[in-house]
Amino acid sequence: MALRESATFGRGVIDDIQRAAETGVYDIRGWGAKRAVPHFDDLLFLGASMSRYPLEGYRERCDTDVVLGDRNARYPLHLQTPVTIAGMSFGALSAQAKEALGRGASEVGTSTTTGDGGMTPEERGQSKHLVYQYLPSRYGMNLADLRKADAIEVVLGQGAKPGGGGMLLGQKISDRVAEMRTLPAGIDQRSACRHPDWTGPDDLAIKILELREITDWEKPVYVKVGATRTYYDVKLAVAAGADVVVVDGMQGGTAATQDVFIEHVGIPTLAAIPQAAQALQELGLHRKVQLIVSGGIRSGADVAKAMALGADAVAIGTAALIALGDNSPRYAAEYEALGSAAGMYDDFQDGRDPAGITTQDPELSARLDPVEGGRRLANYLRVLTLEAQTIARACGKAHLRHLEPEDLVALTVEAAAMARVPLAGTTWIPGVKSHA
Amino acid sequence: MESMTFDLSTTTVRALNAELHDPSVKSYEVLHPEGAHAVAAGIDSGVAVDVHGHVGYYCAGMNDGGSVTVHGNAATGLAENMMSGTVRITGDASQSAGATAHGGLLVIEGSASMRCGISMKGVDIVVGGSVGPMSAFMAQAGRLVICGDAGDGLGDSIYEARLYVRGRVGELGADCVEKEMRDEHRAELAELLAAAGLEHDVTEFRRYGSARRLYHFTSEHSGSY
Ligand SMILES: Cc1cc2nc3c(=O)[nH]c(=O)nc-3n(C[C@H](O)[C@H](O)[C@H](O)COP(=O)(O)O)c2cc1C
């Protein structure tokens, strides 16, 4: 008789149980959710033909710029492409990687973002538009850097771990990282999951007021949430005064989080966008308070789909690291020596990244040339933008922002229900009353 | 002109803060704050500000060098994330006073509510009265002096901050322990009390700090995380 693997207790599950039994600790890792969830791959565009008119591929303009945070700030951000770089901390990433992100983003006129751990001079110096994260830990938070920022992002959560705080394991707490965080070097560092000086949306409104007062109403204030009760969270963030809302779906990357958290908490990006767009529309503020979406953005098609569902811009984390060289087959032998493989490496918490990106080791991080890394990232960002433009023109749009849900259909019933677009070839949107 | 007066019953906090960020004189009087939020937030020079009345949230927030005195009480987040300078309040402070502050001196002549000194990163805080529960939660660095009592959960998950308490202490937070008061501790405590202008016998205080048992994750401490 053929051998039969259990669907409930598969080999992966058996591995997990045995690992837990051996070590007595849960698995902490980087990357994002690895399970399959309904995603942008389950959507398709309806190109124009008779009923809609396409734009000429290489002749007619399709603009890509976006203004972020013009509701209250004297100096909103004006980006040339709606693809931004998500917040990733110095500490999680090497100083070289941070600098490369700044260089690549600046080359194509988009923004980059600090992370849990403060602002480094390398990053500020190389980033034309730098968003400064305001996190519960307030590591490295200071008045001078706040005033150097181009925008402030109040972080309530991340898609990889909505409701969770941060952690940076001791092997990555180098002297420089420790000093920036005012902590002893080498300890396993926890960061809080709740802000220390405000609780709930009414307090957040006052906190945002304070940040505006401190920075003389110059800078846009973003609020970032992990996708869970997105409809309500977006409404509350806007009520608290957010100029921009960042929604990070459950596939979003992380530097170090419990595997159980990554895989089991939060909702897919696809399900979160329509909720966020609906909340903004009901407030009469869609496109006035901008929506940035992240979590699993890989291609220009993903960018276009997120925007068609209502995003004004997207943010990328994992894909940006891959563009820098993360998981490259070039390091196959070294990944194997670490018990991993090129294409599967997710031990960002471990600090031994052969690609020199998620490490504080001086030798490893020296492998990443920030200029070359920046060039690669800029190339990748250009490709994303060109791809999104290609699709937008085919849909007859002279600006990426003009993409709309009516341009989309879904391949599966699940995706149709989550994205609130019809199942391909039908008028059926599960859960939405048909007017046809 | 030596000093400038802002009457918040006739002018705005915005006008006050704009002036304080680009000061034309060295000292300021603020009248009728009536609980306004973010009063004197974001000072980055050595100006002196006297606020006559009660203030709302985040008074002197992120202060970097200013000397702010509040003749009254303060709501949540007094001197949050202060970098340097001095903030003094003659009355009581609400929750999260001195939260995440990196430097400077915060003196609360009355009492402080919950989470005083939460996540503090180098500030010195001296409280004339008592503090509420969960004070010095995850306190990383700096010194917190409490001349009255401390509520439950003092110093939970504390890192390297040093805590001095004269009165009763409720249940200590995870990984916070009483530590020996040596000469150097009595000396630094005397200095802090003198800086705050408070007179107490340093031998009446006890010292608390981190047992450093939670510095590395292990499942044996799962009950404490
Ligand atoms: C290495 C790494 C470090 C991160 N650090 C932070 C952080 O400090 N603060 C934060 O809000 N999000 C952080 N994130 C999450 C990203 O900001 C973003 O939400 C996520 O990566 C987007 O999903 P994607 O990776 O699928 O593009 C981090 C992600 C990665 C991969």
Side-chain angles (χ1 to χ4, degrees):
Chain A
M1 221 174 51
L3 296 176
R4 188 166 173 201
E5 181 165 5
S6 165
T8 307
F9 290 93
R11 273 168 287 185
V13 174
I14 289 171
D15 260 8
D16 287 345
I17 293 172
Q18 284 172 346
R19 197 203 52 79
E22 258 158 52
T23 63
V25 286
Y26 43 41
D27 185 25
I28 296 173
R29 65 171 176 88
W31 201 264
K34 291 193 163 182
R35 61 153 75 199
V37 295
H39 197 37
F40 296 120
D41 294 334
D42 302 315
L43 301 182
L44 295 172
F45 279 99
L46 300 175
S49 56
M50 187 82 93
S51 54
R52 291 209 177 185
Y53 214 67
L55 295 186
E56 202 61 67
Y58 292 92
R59 309 189 65 87
E60 287 176 308
R61 285 179 70 99
C62 174
D63 290 330
T64 61
D65 66 320
V66 59
V67 173
L68 297 172
D70 53 349
R71 181 157 80 133
N72 294 293
R74 191 163 347 134
Y75 305 121
L77 266 60
H78 189 179
L79 308 182
Q80 297 313 306
T81 170
V83 187
T84 66
I85 306 300
M88 293 181 275
S89 67
F90 166 66
L93 300 188
S94 64
Q96 287 86 339
K98 289 300 279 178
E99 181 181 339
L101 294 175
R103 285 178 179 273
S106 299
E107 197 175 321
V108 301
T110 190
S111 61
T112 180
T113 311
T114 66
D116 203 1
M119 183 189 285
T120 65
E122 291 95 331
E123 169 175 45
R124 174 63 279 187
Q126 296 304 333
S127 305
K128 186 156 182 287
H129 309 280
L130 182 60
V131 183
Y132 189 24
Q133 285 200 329
Y134 192 78
L135 293 122
S137 70
R138 311 277 164 87
Y139 290 137
M141 173 54 54
N142 67 76
L143 182 58
D145 285 347
L146 192 68
R147 290 203 169 129
K148 280 185 214 149
D150 299 302
I152 302 164
E153 182 168 299
V154 180
V155 179
L156 272 76
Q158 236 179 280
K161 46 174 173 178
M167 51 173 75
L168 194 64
L169 299 188
Q171 51 273 43
K172 291 180 78 171
I173 312 274
S174 68
D175 290 345
R176 182 174 178 199
V177 172
E179 196 191 318
M180 277 182 73
R181 298 181 186 221
T182 333
L183 285 170
I187 69 165
D188 289 340
Q189 168 258 292
R190 305 150 271 159
S191 28
C193 67
R194 291 201 304 260
H195 281 262
D197 59 351
W198 62 270
T199 330
D202 296 335
D203 279 7
L204 177 57
I206 308 172
K207 174 50 74 179
I208 290 178
L209 174 79
E210 182 209 11
L211 292 171
R212 289 196 203 286
E213 277 297 322
I214 288 176
T215 53
D216 296 298
W217 293 73
E218 289 180 351
K219 303 172 200 304
V221 179
Y222 300 11
V223 172
K224 176 175 179 177
V225 293
T228 55
R229 297 176 183 86
T230 307
Y231 169 77
Y232 296 103
D233 289 343
V234 169
K235 281 207 161 170
L236 292 170
V238 173
D243 299 318
V244 174
V245 182
V246 183
V247 175
D248 190 26
M250 72 166 283
Q251 302 99 308
T254 175
T257 300
Q258 300 90 335
D259 175 79
V260 71
F261 211 146
I262 299 176
E263 298 287 353
H264 297 279
V265 186
I267 64 171
T269 307
L270 196 64
I273 309 174
Q275 288 195 22
Q278 182 192 346
L280 292 169
Q281 278 153 3
E282 286 176 8
L283 293 166
L285 290 170
H286 191 217
R287 309 270 181 231
K288 296 195 177 95
V289 168
Q290 287 80 26
L291 173 64
I292 301 181
V293 166
S294 57
I297 303 273
R298 304 150 299 176
S299 65
D302 292 349
V303 175
K305 288 169 186 175
M307 292 186 71
L309 290 175
D312 293 274
V314 301
I316 57 168
T318 305
L321 303 186
I322 295 171
L324 296 185
D326 172 60
N327 268 294
S328 161
R330 216 171 119 192
Y331 299 112
E334 288 178 71
Y335 286 125
E336 262 162 56
L338 293 171
S340 185
M344 295 181 208
Y345 181 70
D346 59 14
D347 288 322
F348 297 172
Q349 81 292 346
D350 193 38
R352 290 186 290 170
D353 182 359
I357 298 169
T358 59
T359 179
Q360 296 302 320
D361 180 284
E363 267 171 44
L364 291 173
S365 49
R367 290 181 177 185
L368 182 73
D369 173 3
V371 175
E372 168 63 9
R375 192 189 61 78
R376 292 177 58 94
L377 179 64
N379 275 342
Y380 173 60
L381 289 168
R382 283 191 199 100
V383 169
L384 290 183
T385 310
L386 284 168
E387 286 179 344
Q389 279 174 305
T390 303
I391 287 172
R393 282 203 190 87
C395 295
K397 306 297 198 270
H399 198 293
L400 291 184
R401 186 174 55 236
H402 298 165
L403 287 163
E404 53 194 335
E406 287 73 13
D407 294 315
L408 291 170
V409 293
L411 280 169
T412 66
V413 176
E414 288 83 355
M418 289 185 192
R420 302 184 196 167
V421 299
L423 187 66
T426 77
T427 56
W428 184 40
I429 307 177
V432 175
K433 228 172 146 187
S434 163
H435 301 287
Chain B
M1 200 165 46
E2 279 300 285
S3 160
M4 202 184 266
T5 300
F6 279 80
D7 183 342
L8 292 182
S9 65
T10 56
T11 185
T12 58
V13 171
R14 181 76 290 265
L16 168 68
N17 286 337
E19 167 65 25
L20 292 176
H21 298 170
D22 187 12
S24 49
V25 297
K26 291 235 155 57
S27 73
Y28 294 85
E29 303 288 324
V30 179
L31 309 177
H32 302 116
E34 315 291 10
H37 302 307
V39 170
I43 292 174
D44 62 358
S45 67
V47 295
V49 183
D50 274 89
V51 184
H52 301 275
H54 306 311
V55 290
Y57 281 42
Y58 311 129
C59 177
M62 292 192 108
N63 180 44
D64 198 356
S67 298
V68 178
T69 306
V70 179
H71 304 271
N73 302 324
T76 297
L78 172 68
E80 64 86 16
N81 212 87
M82 173 157 57
M83 303 306 299
S84 66
T86 307
V87 174
R88 175 182 290 273
I89 177 166
T90 62
D92 298 324
S94 184
Q95 295 187 33
S96 304
T100 75
H102 289 65
L105 173 67
L106 169 60
V107 181
I108 298 163
E109 294 183 2
S111 289
S113 179
M114 291 171 66
R115 306 193 190 101
C116 180
I118 181 170
S119 236
M120 55 193 276
K121 295 171 172 44
V123 68
D124 289 326
I125 305 177
V126 183
V127 183
S130 300
V131 300
M134 294 306 283
S135 288
F137 175 66
M138 291 183 100
Q140 295 174 220
R143 298 161 300 181
L144 170 61
V145 179
I146 301 157
C147 301
D149 304 332
D152 283 341
L154 179 72
D156 195 285
S157 304
I158 187 172
Y159 293 99
E160 295 294 301
R162 293 196 285 284
L163 317 179
Y164 297 97
V165 189
R166 182 163 153 268
R168 275 172 297 130
V169 174
E171 206 174 301
L172 288 174
D175 212 27
C176 183
V177 291
E178 186 173 346
K179 296 193 162 185
E180 188 196 350
M181 268 298 249
R182 295 191 296 268
D183 286 347
E184 74 251 37
H185 302 118
R186 281 184 281 272
E188 78 169 2
L189 176 58
E191 255 172 55
L192 288 164
L193 289 168
L198 294 171
E199 275 181 38
H200 288 291
D201 178 355
V202 295
T203 61
E204 292 170 7
F205 286 78
R206 278 173 297 167
R207 179 169 77 100
Y208 300 87
S210 180
R212 304 189 178 94
R213 279 186 313 248
L214 299 182
Y215 278 17
H216 297 279
F217 294 118
T218 77
S219 58
E220 282 128 56
H221 292 144
S222 61
S224 306
Y225 289 121

